[in-house]
Amino acid sequence: MTSPYTELQSALSAHLPEDRLISDELRTLAYGTDASFYRLVPQLVVRVESEEEVQLVLAECARRGLPVTFRAAGTSLSGQAVTDSVLIQLGNGWKDYQILDDGQAIRLKPGIIGAQANKYLAPLQRKIGPDPASINACMIGGIAANNASGMCCGTAQNSYNTLRDVRVVFADGGLLDTSSPKSVAAFKASHGEWLQRLQALGEATRANTELADKIRHKYRLKNTTGYSLNALVDFTEPLEILKHLLIGSEGTLGFISEITYNTVPDYPHKAAALIYFPDMEAACRATTAMKPSPVAAVELLDRAALRAVQDMPGMPSDLKDLPEGAAALLVDVRGSDDQHLESNIAQVEATLEGIKTLRPVVFTTDIKTYELYWKIRKGTFPAVGAERVIGTTVIIEDVAFPLERLAEGVIELQALFRKYHYDEAILFGHALEGNLHFVFTQGFDDPAEVKRYQALMDEVAQLVAVKYGGSLKAEHGTGRNMAPYVELEWGSEAYALMKSIKQLFDPTNLLNPDVILSDNAQIHLQNLKPLPEADPLVDKCIECGFCEAVCPSRRLTLTPRQRIVIWRELQRRRQAGEPAADIDRLAEAYQYQGLDTCAADGLCSTQCPVGINTGDLVRSLRREQNFKHLDKAQWIASHFDGVTRMARGGIKLANLGRKILGDSGMSASMTGLRKLGVGAVGHWRPSMPQAAKPLQKSQPRVAAPADPQAPSVVYWPSCATRVFGVSSAAGQQEDIKAVTLNLLHKAGYRVIIPEGIDSLCCGMPFQSKGLFEVADKKQSELLAALHKASNQGEWPIVTDTSPCNMKLDEGNLLPELQLYEASEFVAEHLLPRLQIKPKNDRIALHVTCSTTRRGKGELLIKLAQACTETVVLPESVTCCGFAGDKGFQQPELNASSLQDLSREVAGCVAGYSNSRTCELGLEEHAGIRYQSILYLVDEVSQPVNRTIAE
């Protein structure tokens, strides 16, 4: 008998490409995983690119009675974005936006990341109201569907209160755009009964004084438990009720395909104070006092939270001296200008007079101190995650107490942690709203542990929802996690009202069943995610998904989170002794999805709360596979000068072939060779450059300074620039080695080239394949040569390729060496020695992943801005995906990563970066030439003192 999911896939394949209908074992598990501690594996994942496709999928699923769940970024914590049925994922076509009313509003598609929306608004000093901690990864669709808030937005600036309009597809396929009179008129004609019913529900609710008062009380607090019943008391117009019910509905009432927010001010002037109190009661009293004052955020940290971060690098030493029972408030104040900021600070300080603190209250505007204070606050959650026992998960719960009873609630919560032996639990949160997060570690592989968790949550529910009348979910959404407790918190009358809302919008329970409302009292204890020990490199992963937004393979195969998910599953199967055939089948699929298409660029570590570089795992696994090639790699390393000469000869031969066969002919020829088993040839790239000139032939235009007292610098041309020359269309243009020498000479530097340069390499080509011994040997050789050339570290050392500089810097055992990537050296040392006449051009700039990881991105941007009027940073590109030889072996990775590049750089006359291999891929997919930023600097610069060059 044919499965209904097979039938569904067949029906959808008549309208959607096969690559957007995903049912294989590996990807359904990987794509179906979210940040919660639940695991459900979808039968089918459908990537949709339009409202019409959403309507199609809903219709076909309804025809077969198959539930659907919508997924944006999958950073939700409460189990609202997982399913064992049909998962509808956002494809790449949901990124449009429109700024309205000079920035007073913004219209957004659901696939836009929250932080990106704020980048669009930043020039207007505006932002969207919601500011969840996951804003750099979560998408607008999820922010709205969960009514996510955060540290500064409180309740006044959340999605519910900043909503202007919404566009939505309903379970029955109906479409409504509340900003369009035509759409509204059509909806009233087709769904008039809905609006009448909503109007009646609103009238009945407002007439029920006791229930209406309860709803108003509940939404005086942060509250995402259940549906947004405040819509029934806040509005009388049924269309407004409908709009606001959708906020926080977690995809159970409809698919939000567009939302228009009223924006809020984004004040540029900021100050913060970290204030220590002797006990929680004093901290909460101070919070209450500051409630009416002009604070942007007040973040509460208990002593356990402060203890969790006190040993992290850079933390203030006085954290360790705080007494047991102490608490802290991080107070953030902002203003439109310095005077406004000072006025606001003065008002806040006045409210704190008379409240005992352990240290004087001091606000700082120093950016480093300001960021340190926020690092303390943001480091608490990952600190627990990093120290947890392997195999346990990190749970972050999210409650809100009435502010006037916050201190009592905190003390009783802490008593519950002690009662159930959650000794590592910490408390922190958004104190102004009475919103607390408590974080603890939990194992689910032992029934006794599950019972302990259940007992804790049962008591927490009674304490928060019943005793104090608070919210069990203040901002993380109800999901499966809190669905069994919704009626306990709200009472039977309000719960029945919620059920009637769900019945109205989704009578067949098609949309995300068991989320928000569930008849299963055990739903929060079922389908718990296993987290087996897999590898020390990734065992601390909490599967939050923060890494995904920066991964170059995110739209091709797997993301870092998903690579870890599948590796964990492989280890679980092995540990459980499951059939070898099942393990081998998954491992075989993982080879391409997980290993071959990973750029191993390390950008994931920059976003990971616990600092995991999934590329380290991938390289480790590649080592196991490539160890058999160790002898060959050692031979290559020992004959590196000859190998690079052969590579240049190969490029010359390939370009000769291009003249005869053309790009298509070369592509076909290489495809034929690969089919014959000659895999080393890779794929033909139309951006294949000319072969580089040998260093001895790279004659600079600018002569070296004649002054024997001129400062010295060591120039180390990378093997990439010793092999790959200028673009094939560049004619006789100088190569990067000559350009680098030009600039150094212009600035009056005497340049030293290390001895034996043609045989030197940083080791990265070997490290990327997991051949660490060979990589370390080459790196040691290079360090020794640079140590000698720089007179034991006396003179700075410059290389012309960013990834090579990072590789050498990371493993540098000679700290006396002054290592610089060329653009960094130009920005910091050459610009004061050069006259710059900026061009009146619009250029594109690619900040390489290695530049980002080294924290030098802003320096590169400032250098470009010093040389030209307009600098464009393509918003979709984090890493180009060329990744050394990946651009030749898996060109689809490069193509996927840069699929939006040509649109984003439209109107630019040229593109610049600081890595030759990256520039090859960028040039091919951008439609404009990319080359080193040094070319631009050379073009617009002259020596400050012309006699230097002369």
Side-chain angles (χ1 to χ4, degrees):
M1 183 176 177
T2 305
S3 159
Y5 294 100
T6 303
E7 292 179 0
L8 173 64
Q9 186 167 357
S10 177
L12 293 176
S13 67
H15 306 277
L16 302 177
E18 286 289 348
D19 63 353
R20 293 202 271 119
L21 300 172
I22 299 154
S23 59
D24 62 274
E25 177 185 29
L26 182 146
R27 289 184 296 168
T28 50
L29 171 58
Y31 297 167
T33 300
D34 74 351
S36 73
F37 51 91
Y38 300 99
R39 167 169 291 173
L40 289 168
V41 181
Q43 297 293 314
L44 180 66
V45 178
V46 184
R47 284 185 170 161
V48 294
E49 296 285 4
S50 66
E51 291 171 339
E52 292 76 17
E53 291 182 359
V54 174
Q55 290 170 316
L56 169 68
V57 177
L58 290 177
E60 293 293 346
C61 287
R63 190 170 290 122
R64 294 166 179 81
L66 301 176
V68 302
T69 294
F70 303 113
R71 164 75 67 82
T75 58
S76 49
L77 295 164
S78 301
Q80 56 266 64
V82 293
T83 180
D84 56 3
S85 183
V86 178
L87 185 71
I88 299 180
Q89 269 190 345
L90 294 180
N92 193 42
W94 302 89
K95 304 290 178 66
D96 293 338
Y97 73 98
Q98 183 181 4
I99 294 176
L100 307 172
D101 302 339
D102 296 323
Q104 297 299 305
I106 186 168
R107 182 176 294 137
L108 298 161
K109 292 291 186 182
I112 294 174
I113 290 173
Q116 188 62 53
N118 284 339
K119 286 182 181 178
Y120 298 144
L121 291 164
L124 301 168
Q125 292 192 8
R126 307 289 293 181
K127 63 179 181 176
I128 61 171
D131 62 339
S134 59
I135 196 165
N136 289 323
C138 65
M139 295 177 181
I140 292 297
I143 290 174
N146 290 286
N147 197 20
S149 49
M151 288 171 275
C152 297
C153 85
T155 55
Q157 295 181 351
N158 62 16
S159 291
Y160 180 94
N161 283 308
T162 57
L163 173 67
R164 178 182 287 193
D165 281 299
V166 69
R167 187 175 172 97
V168 59
V169 178
F170 294 103
D172 63 359
L175 176 66
L176 170 64
D177 181 351
T178 63
S179 70
S180 165
K182 182 178 178 181
S183 177
V184 169
F187 187 78
K188 287 180 177 179
S190 62
H191 291 72
E193 186 179 341
W194 280 26
L195 297 176
Q196 291 173 13
R197 178 65 178 148
L198 287 175
Q199 184 168 12
L201 286 175
E203 290 171 351
T205 303
R206 293 189 297 275
N208 185 335
T209 305
E210 184 177 353
L211 177 59
D213 288 345
K214 182 174 187 175
I215 291 170
R216 292 187 181 98
H217 163 76
K218 296 286 288 179
Y219 287 101
R220 182 171 62 94
L221 314 175
K222 275 189 178 181
N223 190 351
T224 61
T225 309
Y227 288 118
S228 300
L229 294 184
N230 46 338
L232 297 170
V233 297
D234 291 343
F235 303 99
T236 57
E237 166 59 43
L239 206 62
E240 289 296 324
I241 294 173
L242 183 151
K243 279 166 44 176
H244 288 82
L245 281 172
L246 289 167
I247 301 300
S249 63
E250 300 176 24
T252 64
L253 302 182
F255 170 78
I256 297 173
S257 61
E258 186 177 87
I259 185 168
T260 303
Y261 281 113
N262 292 313
T263 63
V264 300
D266 183 20
Y267 292 133
H269 296 263
K270 302 173 182 180
L274 187 62
I275 309 172
Y276 303 126
F277 296 88
D279 51 45
M280 187 61 69
E281 192 278 331
C284 291
R285 190 151 44 89
T287 302
T288 304
M290 285 187 284
K291 180 69 173 176
S293 69
V295 288
V298 177
E299 294 293 299
L300 173 70
L301 300 101
D302 74 351
R303 184 67 186 93
L306 295 169
R307 190 181 302 111
V309 299
Q310 67 185 21
D311 293 322
M312 292 172 62
M315 291 295 111
S317 59
D318 58 358
L319 287 181
K320 297 181 180 180
D321 302 330
L322 295 174
E324 200 60 35
L329 292 177
L330 169 55
V331 182
D332 192 306
V333 180
R334 302 180 182 183
S336 56
D337 53 35
D338 288 336
Q339 185 177 357
H340 185 204
L341 177 63
E342 290 300 325
S343 172
N344 287 345
I345 290 173
Q347 292 181 59
V348 174
E349 289 175 334
T351 65
L352 294 172
E353 291 180 4
I355 299 175
K356 184 178 180 181
T357 62
L358 296 175
R359 309 274 194 282
V361 177
V362 178
F363 279 88
T364 180
T365 57
D366 175 68
I367 187 63
K368 290 185 177 179
T369 308
Y370 178 91
E371 290 176 349
L372 173 62
Y373 289 164
W374 277 107
K375 183 179 179 182
I376 293 172
R377 162 61 182 85
K378 293 177 180 179
T380 50
F381 175 39
V384 175
E387 296 301 320
R388 77 185 192 279
V389 175
I390 303 305
T392 63
T393 190
V394 181
I395 294 180
I396 177 168
E397 285 298 347
D398 170 43
V399 301
F401 292 100
L403 184 57
E404 61 273 13
R405 306 198 67 184
L406 180 59
E408 300 170 71
V410 169
I411 291 168
E412 291 201 50
L413 268 180
Q414 291 172 324
L416 286 180
F417 299 153
R418 293 191 293 271
K419 176 179 178 180
Y420 289 103
H421 305 292
Y422 287 97
D423 301 320
E424 79 291 353
I426 66 171
L427 274 171
F428 60 89
H430 317 314
L432 279 181
E433 309 301 328
N435 177 195
L436 291 178
H437 301 309
F438 55 96
V439 180
F440 56 95
T441 61
Q442 177 68 52
F444 288 124
D445 54 353
D446 181 349
E449 279 294 285
V450 176
K451 287 185 179 179
R452 180 170 74 120
Y453 169 72
Q454 181 180 13
L456 172 71
M457 294 312 299
D458 285 347
E459 285 212 45
V460 167
Q462 287 291 334
L463 174 71
V464 176
V466 179
K467 181 174 182 178
Y468 287 103
S471 310
L472 288 172
K473 284 293 184 183
E475 57 181 5
H476 291 170
T478 309
R480 287 171 166 75
N481 182 215
M482 213 52 68
Y485 299 104
V486 174
E487 186 169 10
L488 174 72
E489 175 174 331
W490 276 99
S492 57
E493 192 172 23
Y495 191 69
L497 185 56
M498 292 182 190
K499 282 198 159 188
S500 66
I501 291 168
K502 173 67 171 174
Q503 176 67 23
L504 175 64
F505 282 78
D506 183 25
T508 61
N509 205 21
L510 175 71
L511 305 180
N512 221 1
D514 279 325
V515 167
I516 296 185
L517 306 179
S518 178
D519 295 329
N520 182 352
Q522 300 295 305
I523 192 74
H524 64 312
L525 303 174
Q526 296 171 355
N527 302 300
L528 300 171
K529 182 192 294 183
L531 289 174
E533 185 174 358
D535 190 292
L537 292 169
V538 297
D539 280 336
K540 298 300 184 183
C541 175
I542 53 179
E543 298 185 9
C544 63
F546 286 12
C547 58
E548 294 191 336
V550 297
C551 178
S553 62
R554 65 190 182 276
R555 295 180 288 189
L556 176 67
T557 51
L558 302 183
T559 64
R561 165 169 64 176
Q562 293 162 355
R563 287 184 169 89
I564 294 171
V565 165
I566 300 302
W567 186 245
R568 280 175 166 165
E569 176 62 11
L570 282 166
Q571 305 321 301
R572 185 196 67 78
R573 292 185 182 190
R574 288 168 179 148
Q575 294 162 15
E578 294 190 8
D582 293 344
I583 298 172
D584 291 345
R585 184 179 62 250
L586 189 63
E588 183 178 354
Y590 189 62
Q591 179 64 45
Y592 177 77
Q593 296 282 337
L595 304 185
D596 292 347
T597 52
C598 177
D601 61 11
L603 280 180
C604 46
S605 66
T606 67
Q607 303 299 311
C608 176
V610 292
I612 293 170
N613 182 346
T614 309
D616 290 340
L617 172 67
V618 169
R619 281 186 289 267
S620 174
L621 298 178
R622 288 174 182 168
R623 170 184 166 77
E624 296 176 15
Q625 297 175 352
N626 292 328
F627 192 74
K628 59 188 176 184
H629 301 304
L630 182 60
D631 290 344
K632 185 187 299 184
Q634 289 172 335
W635 185 91
I636 292 172
S638 299
H639 300 81
F640 204 75
D641 54 346
V643 171
T644 54
R645 283 198 302 271
M646 289 174 58
R648 287 195 294 267
I651 294 174
K652 289 179 181 177
L653 186 62
N655 277 304
L656 179 61
R658 168 159 48 190
K659 289 181 181 179
I660 299 170
L661 301 175
D663 284 324
S664 59
M666 287 299 295
S667 179
S669 298
M670 287 195 165
T671 300
L673 287 171
R674 287 196 308 278
K675 288 181 178 179
L676 292 173
V678 191
V681 300
H683 293 256
W684 176 254
R685 302 301 299 256
S687 58
M688 179 66 74
Q690 301 175 37
K693 295 178 182 178
L695 183 61
Q696 298 80 359
K697 296 182 180 180
S698 297
Q699 297 299 324
R701 287 176 288 102
V702 182
D707 182 1
Q709 300 301 314
S712 297
V713 62
V714 176
Y715 171 37
W716 156 47
S718 71
C719 51
T721 57
R722 300 199 308 267
V723 172
F724 296 114
V726 298
S727 169
S728 294
Q732 298 301 310
Q733 184 185 41
E734 292 177 299
D735 73 4
I736 183 59
K737 299 186 291 299
V739 170
T740 305
L741 292 171
N742 284 339
L743 280 171
L744 294 172
H745 290 167
K746 279 183 193 179
Y749 279 88
R750 182 174 66 93
V751 181
I752 300 163
I753 305 295
E755 295 177 6
I757 186 65
D758 289 334
S759 65
L760 298 178
C761 172
C762 68
M764 181 171 283
F766 303 100
Q767 178 179 275
S768 66
K769 294 174 175 56
L771 299 168
F772 304 125
E773 300 91 343
V774 185
D776 291 345
K777 183 175 183 294
K778 293 305 292 181
Q779 185 180 54
S780 295
E781 291 175 1
L782 178 58
L783 284 169
L786 295 176
H787 189 260
K788 180 180 178 181
S790 66
N791 199 26
Q792 292 75 50
E794 179 182 355
W795 303 317
I797 299 163
V798 172
T799 187
D800 49 28
T801 301
S802 173
C804 301
N805 184 69
M806 184 188 71
K807 171 67 174 69
L808 197 65
D809 207 14
E810 283 182 339
N812 184 13
L813 301 178
L814 300 172
E816 64 270 25
L817 297 185
Q818 306 170 57
L819 299 170
Y820 292 90
E821 184 270 317
S823 67
E824 174 189 356
F825 189 74
V826 169
E828 294 184 347
H829 295 279
L830 264 61
L831 283 187
R833 304 169 70 95
L834 296 171
Q835 292 178 348
I836 303 294
K837 185 178 180 181
K839 299 180 70 175
N840 187 26
D841 281 346
R842 177 184 177 89
I843 66 151
L845 182 68
H846 174 64
V847 180
T848 60
C849 45
S850 49
T851 303
T852 299
R853 287 179 61 192
R854 293 181 63 245
K856 301 295 184 179
E858 286 301 317
L859 197 63
L860 181 63
I861 294 168
K862 288 179 180 178
L863 177 60
Q865 290 172 336
C867 297
T868 193
E869 182 178 20
T870 305
V871 177
V872 174
L873 296 166
E875 65 187 55
S876 71
V877 182
T878 53
C879 166
C880 70
F882 205 92
D885 68 345
K886 285 293 173 192
F888 297 106
Q889 299 299 329
Q890 275 82 38
E892 65 273 23
L893 175 61
N894 181 226
S896 177
S897 180
L898 302 181
Q899 61 187 268
D900 297 324
L901 180 62
S902 61
R903 173 178 56 82
E904 292 172 345
V905 302
C908 294
V909 299
Y912 297 94
S913 188
N914 55 353
S915 170
R916 188 69 190 101
T917 51
C918 296
E919 291 151 18
L920 299 182
L922 291 160
E923 182 168 320
E924 181 173 328
H925 295 287
I928 56 175
R929 184 182 302 173
Y930 268 82
Q931 52 191 357
S932 170
I933 187 71
L934 301 189
Y935 281 91
L936 178 61
V937 181
D938 187 35
E939 182 182 355
V940 301
S941 64
Q942 293 292 335
V944 170
N945 183 350
R946 287 188 174 274
T947 60
I948 292 176
E950 294 167 0

